[in-house]
Amino acid sequence: MEFPMSEWLENHLPKIVLAPSFIAVLVFVYGFIGWTAWVSFTRSKLLPKYEIKGFIQYEKLFASPRWDTAFENLFVFGALFIIIAMVVGLLLAIMLDQQIRTEGLIRTIYLYPMALSMIVTGTAWKWILNPGLGLEATIKGWGYNDFSFDWIVNSEMAIYTIVLAAVWQSSGFVMALFLAGLRSVDGEIIKAAQVDGIPTWRIYTAIIIPSMAPIFLSAFIVLSHLAIKSFDLVIALTGGGPGYSTDLPATYMYAMAFSRGDIGQAASSAMIMMLVVFTIVVPYLYSELRTKNDG
Amino acid sequence: MADLSFDQTQQSKFGKTTLRIILYVLLTLFALYYLLPLFVMVTTSLKSLEEIRTGSLIALPREITFDAWKIAWASACTGIQCEGLRPYFWNSVLLAVPAVLLSTLLGALNGYVVAQWRFRGANLIFSLMLFGCFIPFQVVLLPMARLLGLMGIAGTIPGLIFVHVIYGIGFTTLFFRNYYVTIPSELVKAAKVDGANFLRIFWSIFLPLSLPIIVVTVIWQFTQIWNDFLFGVSFSQAGTQPVTVALNNIVNSTTGVKEYNVDMAAAIIAALPTLLVYVVAGKYFIRGLTAGSVKG
Amino acid sequence: MAPILDIQNLFKNYGTTEILKNINVSIEPGDFLVLVGPSGCGKSTLLNCIAGLEPTTGGNLFIDGQDMTHVSPKDRDIAMVFQSYALYPTMSVAKNITFGMKVRGVDAATQERKLNEVANQLQIEPLLNRRPGQLSGGQRQRVAMGRALVRDPKLFLFDEPLSNLDAKLRVEMRSEIKKLHQNLGATMVYVTHDQIEAMTLATKIVVMRGGVIQQIGTPAEIYNKPANLFVADFMGSPAMNLIPATVLRNGKGAQIEISREGKEPILLHDQKAIDLPEKVILGLRPEDIAEAGFRAGENIQEAECHVEMVEPAGADTYVVSELGGKQVTARLHAETRASAGENLRFAFDLAKASYFEPETGNRLN
C-alpha cells in the first residue's frame, strides 16, 4: 500500500526545511531594504509616511554639513583603515612566516583583539588616549614636557584615533588570513625558485604575493565591510565628537533614527550606506558564486 | 611550504644574525602594541582612583585593590540605575544562548539542504541568503523597530533573540553549506538506497560528522551576539539591555566622579566570555573568522 | 524467463541537455550487465536512474515485472556499491553494514545473524569494530560490498567500484566480484569505463556514447562483431586496427585494396561472398594479423609490409607498420625476429575482418 501523502512530504521536505529561513531573509532583508528605500523617498519625520515625494531626503542629506563630515570621514577612515590594516597584516604575516619559534604565542597575542567587542576596544583606547591621564601624561611624566598627544579631543585629528583603534582590533585578523595564504602557496614552485637562486625577497614579491590575489580581495571586502558598519567603535571612543567631527554614516543614521526622530533622514542615509556596500560586495559575490558554480 | 627562512648561503653569518635580531625586535614591538591596551585595562582596574591620578598609565599598581571590580559588577551606575553590570551580563547570557543555538540549528539544516539536496532555485536562494550577510544593518533598523513593536516584543529579550537569529542565518548557513559540500554526495545516495529519509540521513550521518563546524559556528555566533552593540542599543530598553550597552552607559555616564578603574574593570568583565572562548578554542575561532571571509 | 530488469524507451534530460536518449535494455535473473563507455557517456546517470536516485524524463523501468519508474530507491529492492564506497564515516563497519536493516526496523537478532554471515563471506570479521577511516582501500571496498550483500536484493548496482584501487588490487577484487556473482547467482548491473573490466565480468555488455546505446551483446559479440567504429575502437586493447580501404569487385568475394605511402598498394582477397560498397574501413584486431606461416585458416591473406616499430610486451611483441595512412598494430609471438626498418610478411585473417561504412561508421558485414 502506498502512502502518497508521506511520499509527497519526503520529496518536498528539503524545500519545506529551507522555506522558513528563505522567507525570513526575503522579508527581513529584502523586504526591509525595500521599506527603507520607500521611506527614504517620503517626508517621514517622527512617524513614517508613505507618500512618495522624490529625492527631497537625499537633497537634504547632502546639504547637511554633518552628513558631509560623516560621509567624508567614511572615506578617510575607510581608506586609512583598510590600507594600514592590510600593510600591517601582510608585514606581520611575512615576519611570522620566517620559522619563528614562538609563532603560536605571538599569533595568539596579535589576534586576540578580534575577540573583543568594539565597545571594549573603544573604552580601552579612550582611556589610553585621554590627554590628562593617559599616554600623553605618562610621557610628559618622563620629562618630555613638550610632548602632546591630544588627538582624541582635537576635532582635526580625532578621526585618526578611530583608525588607530580599528587597526589595532583588525590587523591581527588580516595577518591570520595572509599567513594562511602564504602557507598555501605550492611548495614546489618555491623550491624551484630557490634552486634557480632567486633571493627570498624576490620570491615573496614575484611569486608568493601575486599568487595571493584572492586573499587580498577577501581581506579588502571584509575590512571595507567592517569600515562601513563601524558604529560601536565611534560611539565608545569619541561618541562622534568633538562636535560631530568623527561622525560616520552609521552614527549619523543612528542619531537621526533614535535621537532626532527624523526617519526620512535615517532612511536615506541608510540607503547611501547600502549603496556603498552594494558597489563593493556585489561584484565580489557575483564572481565568487560564478566560479563556485563552474567548478 | 618550503623553508623560506633567510638562510641563503651567500649571506654572511653576521648579516643573517642581524636580520634575525631585527625580526624578533619588530615582532616584540608589535606584540607590545597589541598587549598595551589589555595591560593598561588590567592594571588600571586594580588601582585606586588616587593612584590613577598621581601615577603613570603604564606603571604596575603599587597596591592591588579589587574595589573597582566589585563596583563594576554590582553597583556602578548605568544612567539612573546603579546595579553594576551584573543584571546586564545575565541579559547577554539569556540572549546569546538561545540565539546561538537556534541560528546554529537552522544553519545546519539549511546548509544540509543547500549542499546535499539541491533543487531548482536552491543556488539562487543561497546567493540571496549570502548577500544578507553583507548588508549594513542600518538599512533594516527602522522597519525592524516597527515590526518588533507590532509583534509586542519591542524592548524585550525575545525580541533581541529574534533579531539575532534572523540576521545570523546567513552566516551559519554559509558555514554549514561550505562544510557539507566537501562531503561526497554518494553518501546521501547510499543512505537513500539503505532506506533512510531526509531527516534520518541528517541525524544519523551528517550531524555526527559536524562537530568541528558546530564548534566553529557556535563560537562565531556567540562572539557576534555577545559583542553586538547596534541591535542591543536599538532594540532594548532599560532593564533588558545587553552587557555591551550597559558598559557603554557606565563609561559614558556623566554623573559623579569619573571612575576610570571601574570603567576598565567593567570593560574586562564584558570582554571576559569572548576572551575565554578565544583562549580555550582559538583554533576554531580563527577558522570561523577565515571561513567567514574566504569561501569555498 | 521474465526479465528481472527491463528498461523501455528511457529518456533523461537536465534542462535542455539530453543525457540519455531512448534507452532500451533488458536482462534476466543471474545476468551480469556491464554499462561501459567513456566519461560523460551517461552510464552513471543510467545506473542512478535504475537506482531511483535520479528522476527520469520519459520511459519506463521495470524491476521483476513491477513498474518502478517513479518508486523511491528504498522500495526498489536494490543495493548499490559506489565509486567512493560512501561508507558512513562516523559509524563502525558493523553499523555501516546493519544501518539499512536498522532503518527498516529489522530486529536485532536478524541483524546480528546477517551481519555475521556477510562478514564471514567477505572475511571482514576482524574489521567489524573499526571506523572506515582506519581501513585500507581494499578493506573499504569489501565493507561496501558487505553493505550491499546484506540486503540480499533483486539487483546489485555497482558504480565504478574498482576505480579507486591500485592496479594489483583492482585485478584481485575483479575476480572476487566475478566469484561472488557465480556463487550467489545474483543479478548485477555494473558501470565502468574500463573495457577490460567489462570484458572479464559481463555476461552482457552495453556500450554507450553521448547518452545513446551503441551496442548490446555478449562480450564475444561486442569484441568480434562491433556494431560501429566507436565500439570497435573503444573495446579491446590495443585497439582494433581501422584501415581505410577500397573494394574492387570480382566474381566471388571482394578484392580489398589498401594504399601505402610510396609503394604499390596491398591487395587482399576476402573469399566471403559479401556485398560491400566501394569505400570501406577494414577492421582487424592486432591478433588477427600474424607473421606469415604462423597462422592457419581458410581466409588468410599474406602481404609484405614495412616494419616501422617493434614493441616487445613480454608475452607478445607488437609490430607497427603503416597501411592506408594508419598505424597498424600486429600482435606477433614473443620470439619474432621482426626489427624496425625491415620488411616482413604478414598474414591477415580476413575471416575475422569487420567492415565499416566510412560515413556513418556502421558495420557492414
Side-chain angles (χ1 to χ4, degrees):
Chain A
M1 189 60 212
E2 289 282 323
F3 298 100
M5 186 58 204
S6 76
E7 188 92 347
W8 183 89
L9 192 67
E10 175 63 25
N11 288 337
H12 290 82
L13 206 50
K15 290 174 200 171
I16 294 169
V17 164
L18 197 57
S21 301
F22 178 56
I23 292 167
V25 167
L26 223 50
V27 172
F28 299 119
V29 174
Y30 297 93
F32 279 13
I33 292 173
W35 190 93
T36 306
W38 184 286
V39 166
S40 76
F41 292 111
T42 68
R43 272 190 200 284
S44 302
K45 201 70 181 165
L46 199 57
L47 288 171
K49 297 177 184 131
Y50 298 102
E51 196 185 338
I52 298 275
K53 290 285 184 193
F55 285 89
I56 47 163
Q57 295 293 353
Y58 294 93
E59 283 159 16
K60 194 172 149 198
L61 190 66
F62 283 96
S64 147
R66 181 170 179 185
W67 169 260
D68 276 352
T69 311
F71 203 54
E72 196 188 307
N73 276 342
L74 174 63
F75 290 96
V76 172
F77 164 72
L80 284 174
F81 165 61
I82 292 169
I83 292 169
I84 298 175
M86 292 251 244
V87 169
V88 170
L90 183 61
L91 188 70
L92 293 178
I94 291 178
M95 290 201 299
L96 266 187
D97 197 29
Q98 308 305 323
Q99 300 192 313
I100 302 301
R101 224 163 295 155
T102 48
E103 187 196 309
L105 175 71
I106 295 178
R107 230 178 25 202
T108 308
I109 292 172
Y110 289 176
L111 198 55
Y112 85 89
M114 205 62 194
L116 301 181
S117 159
M118 288 212 189
I119 297 291
V120 173
T121 303
T123 305
W125 280 100
K126 185 181 190 171
W127 166 232
I128 293 170
L129 295 171
N130 181 321
L133 294 164
L135 210 56
E136 182 187 283
T138 302
I139 293 179
K140 275 187 177 156
W142 291 345
Y144 302 94
N145 283 319
D146 295 337
F147 182 81
S148 162
F149 190 51
D150 63 349
W151 287 5
I152 198 163
V153 292
N154 178 337
S155 59
E156 288 292 308
M157 303 302 281
I159 189 73
Y160 302 111
T161 64
I162 294 173
V163 175
L164 180 70
V167 167
W168 177 81
Q169 179 143 40
S170 305
S171 49
F173 159 63
V174 182
M175 173 215 68
L177 267 187
F178 280 140
L179 197 57
L182 288 174
R183 302 255 153 103
S184 67
V185 175
D186 181 2
E188 294 206 339
I189 298 175
I190 292 158
K191 277 183 200 149
Q194 281 175 330
V195 170
D196 285 346
I198 295 165
T200 305
W201 67 270
R202 284 283 293 166
I203 295 181
Y204 272 106
T205 54
I207 298 170
I208 299 176
I209 292 174
S211 75
M212 297 204 312
I215 295 183
F216 276 91
L217 188 63
S218 290
F220 172 75
I221 296 292
V222 173
L223 290 174
S224 50
H225 188 235
L226 281 175
I228 293 160
K229 291 218 282 196
S230 281
F231 168 71
D232 337 14
L233 190 59
V234 177
I235 295 289
L237 190 58
T238 64
Y244 46 74
S245 62
T246 53
D247 248 347
L248 286 177
T251 55
Y252 180 90
M253 183 274 162
Y254 184 80
M256 290 301 146
F258 296 98
S259 328
R260 295 281 196 86
D262 191 340
I263 288 178
Q265 279 295 285
S268 58
S269 55
M271 285 315 291
I272 298 287
M273 291 177 67
M274 179 75 207
L275 274 181
V276 175
V277 173
F278 210 76
T279 50
I280 295 174
V281 169
V282 164
Y284 169 71
L285 277 185
Y286 184 73
S287 69
E288 278 283 306
L289 289 166
R290 266 196 86 90
T291 50
K292 283 289 123 60
N293 290 349
D294 293 345
Chain B
M1 202 174 96
D3 179 2
L4 253 189
S5 51
F6 292 111
D7 71 342
Q8 305 284 321
T9 36
Q10 65 265 35
Q11 270 170 339
S12 69
K13 188 146 193 242
F14 174 76
K16 199 174 134 188
T17 318
T18 318
L19 264 177
R20 295 296 287 181
I21 290 172
I22 293 172
L23 188 64
Y24 273 96
V25 167
L26 276 174
L27 285 170
T28 312
L29 285 177
F30 270 105
L32 290 178
Y33 165 63
Y34 288 109
L35 282 175
L36 175 74
L38 186 65
F39 173 79
V40 168
M41 269 160 61
V42 173
T43 53
T44 305
S45 75
L46 298 173
K47 291 175 185 171
S48 66
L49 261 186
E50 174 59 24
E51 195 185 333
I52 289 170
R53 269 193 222 98
T54 54
S56 149
L57 178 76
I58 54 170
L60 288 169
R62 282 191 297 268
E63 206 177 319
I64 290 178
T65 162
F66 288 95
D67 290 349
W69 283 71
K70 286 176 204 146
I71 296 169
W73 179 245
S75 66
C77 297
T78 56
I80 39 168
Q81 274 151 320
C82 295
E83 303 165 274
L85 272 188
R86 185 171 49 192
Y88 307 102
F89 190 92
W90 293 121
N91 281 347
S92 275
V93 173
L94 281 177
L95 155 71
V97 171
V100 167
L101 294 182
L102 262 175
S103 57
T104 304
L105 180 70
L106 282 171
L109 281 168
N110 292 342
Y112 170 61
V113 171
V114 175
Q116 296 282 345
W117 295 78
R118 292 158 176 275
F119 50 85
R120 195 187 296 264
N123 255 333
L124 177 70
I125 292 179
F126 176 62
S127 310
L128 287 173
M129 291 176 85
L130 193 58
F131 181 72
C133 300
F134 286 95
I135 58 161
F137 290 133
Q138 278 77 11
V139 86
V140 297
L141 280 188
L142 293 167
M144 186 51 96
R146 291 185 66 77
L147 180 82
L148 292 177
L150 287 174
M151 289 167 68
I153 50 174
T156 66
I157 289 179
L160 270 176
I161 293 173
F162 175 77
V163 174
H164 280 296
V165 170
I166 295 286
Y167 296 108
I169 293 175
F171 266 114
T172 57
T173 302
L174 171 70
F175 284 172
F176 279 96
R177 180 258 184 198
N178 284 354
Y179 186 75
Y180 287 151
V181 284
T182 63
I183 295 172
S185 59
E186 290 192 341
L187 219 50
V188 170
K189 290 184 179 173
K192 277 185 183 170
V193 172
D194 263 343
N197 61 23
F198 175 82
L199 286 176
R200 182 67 183 245
I201 298 172
F202 178 67
W203 180 257
S204 296
I205 295 162
F206 279 78
L207 216 50
L209 271 173
S210 309
L211 189 65
I213 197 64
I214 291 175
V215 174
V216 166
T217 311
V218 164
I219 288 178
W220 168 271
Q221 278 299 90
F222 178 74
T223 313
Q224 292 296 306
I225 295 172
W226 187 273
N227 287 342
D228 162 72
F229 179 73
L230 182 62
F231 288 148
V233 76
S234 304
F235 303 133
S236 67
Q237 59 194 31
T240 62
Q241 287 149 333
V243 70
T244 47
V245 177
L247 169 65
N248 190 53
N249 288 346
I250 289 178
V251 174
N252 289 324
S253 73
T254 43
T255 50
V257 191
K258 200 89 199 78
E259 293 177 301
Y260 296 106
N261 49 0
V262 175
D263 291 355
M264 292 304 124
I268 297 171
I269 291 170
L272 265 183
T274 50
L275 267 184
L276 200 69
V277 165
Y278 175 68
V279 170
V280 172
K283 191 177 78 179
Y284 293 99
F285 177 79
I286 296 165
R287 215 184 282 172
L289 278 179
T290 42
S293 53
V294 198
K295 285 176 290 305
Chain C
M1 237 187 310
I4 186 95
L5 170 68
D6 193 7
I7 301 170
Q8 298 175 351
N9 310 81
L10 187 107
F11 284 83
K12 167 78 185 165
N13 300 351
Y14 284 125
T16 54
T17 327
E18 284 193 310
I19 306 295
L20 296 173
K21 293 169 209 162
N22 199 16
I23 303 292
N24 287 285
V25 182
S26 101
I27 54 172
E28 320 224 301
D31 261 342
F32 198 123
L33 176 72
V34 173
L35 309 176
V36 67
S39 64
C41 71
K43 57 190 190 295
S44 283
T45 309
L46 179 54
L47 192 74
N48 278 319
C49 288
I50 297 172
L53 293 167
E54 300 256 15
T56 56
T57 313
N60 288 305
L61 195 148
F62 298 88
I63 295 175
D64 201 15
Q66 274 182 289
D67 187 348
M68 293 286 188
T69 318
H70 302 291
V71 173
S72 80
K74 64 177 196 293
D75 300 321
R76 292 193 180 202
D77 202 0
I78 51 162
M80 191 159 172
V81 176
F82 295 88
Q83 183 173 8
S84 67
Y85 317 134
L87 300 179
Y88 310 128
T90 55
M91 297 183 198
S92 67
V93 167
K95 290 246 173 68
N96 259 284
I97 293 173
T98 55
F99 180 68
M101 290 189 283
K102 200 176 148 201
V103 169
R104 284 158 208 275
V106 174
D107 65 274
T110 314
Q111 286 186 30
E112 185 71 22
R113 183 174 53 76
K114 286 199 158 191
L115 170 66
N116 288 331
E117 273 173 32
V118 166
N120 181 38
Q121 193 175 4
L122 292 169
Q123 296 166 341
I124 51 172
E125 288 114 326
L127 309 177
L128 288 182
N129 291 319
R130 298 218 200 139
R131 293 279 178 91
Q134 299 165 304
L135 304 179
S136 69
Q139 290 170 331
R140 282 181 215 187
Q141 167 68 49
R142 277 169 192 279
V143 175
M145 303 266 288
R147 195 169 61 183
L149 283 180
V150 82
R151 293 282 313 280
D152 194 17
K154 288 208 181 88
L155 269 184
F156 285 96
L157 308 178
F158 295 86
D159 191 359
E160 309 216 19
L162 303 182
S163 60
N164 283 343
L165 299 176
D166 64 52
K168 187 165 174 287
L169 208 50
R170 193 152 58 218
V171 175
E172 271 175 43
M173 288 307 299
R174 195 170 73 198
S175 46
E176 255 189 75
I177 293 176
K178 182 141 187 146
K179 251 186 267 166
L180 207 62
H181 173 245
Q182 283 164 356
N183 295 344
L184 293 174
T187 317
M188 297 181 170
V189 181
Y190 188 106
V191 163
T192 181
H193 63 268
D194 180 344
Q195 46 90 18
I196 298 177
E197 251 172 51
M199 295 294 292
T200 45
L201 289 172
T203 60
K204 193 173 201 175
I205 293 179
V206 171
V207 185
M208 295 179 68
R209 180 173 68 153
V212 177
I213 292 181
Q214 303 293 306
Q215 188 173 6
I216 303 179
T218 64
E221 282 164 2
I222 301 270
Y223 190 76
N224 295 323
K225 292 184 171 298
N228 57 34
L229 284 174
F230 172 77
V231 177
D233 187 51
F234 187 77
M235 300 299 288
S237 172
M240 182 183 263
N241 296 304
L242 298 167
I243 312 160
T246 312
V247 177
L248 311 171
R249 260 155 229 295
N250 66 5
K252 40 179 178 137
Q255 287 276 38
I256 314 288
E257 185 187 73
I258 301 167
S259 66
R260 284 195 293 185
E261 182 119 25
K263 275 191 187 169
E264 79 285 6
I266 295 184
L267 271 181
L268 303 172
H269 179 68
D270 192 335
Q271 294 157 13
K272 280 177 290 178
I274 40 172
D275 186 26
L276 292 174
E278 192 193 342
K279 292 282 174 197
V280 295
I281 288 176
L282 166 65
L284 268 178
R285 297 258 172 221
E287 61 267 29
D288 297 329
I289 308 175
E291 221 168 322
F294 282 85
R295 184 119 177 182
E298 295 172 4
N299 209 350
I300 302 279
Q301 292 281 306
E302 294 191 359
E304 184 132 300
C305 297
H306 185 250
V307 176
E308 311 254 319
M309 192 166 55
V310 176
E311 294 177 328
D316 308 296
T317 295
Y318 295 108
V319 172
V320 180
S321 54
E322 199 178 285
L323 290 175
K326 293 274 177 174
Q327 300 269 304
V328 171
T329 304
R331 185 168 167 179
L332 309 186
H333 56 92
E335 293 82 24
T336 180
R337 43 191 175 70
S339 60
E342 286 179 358
N343 281 344
L344 189 68
R345 212 168 162 72
F346 283 142
F348 298 84
D349 188 351
L350 291 186
K352 298 287 187 65
S354 300
Y355 296 98
F356 301 99
E357 222 269 299
E359 300 296 314
T360 61
N362 289 335
R363 187 182 184 86
L364 293 164
N365 61 327

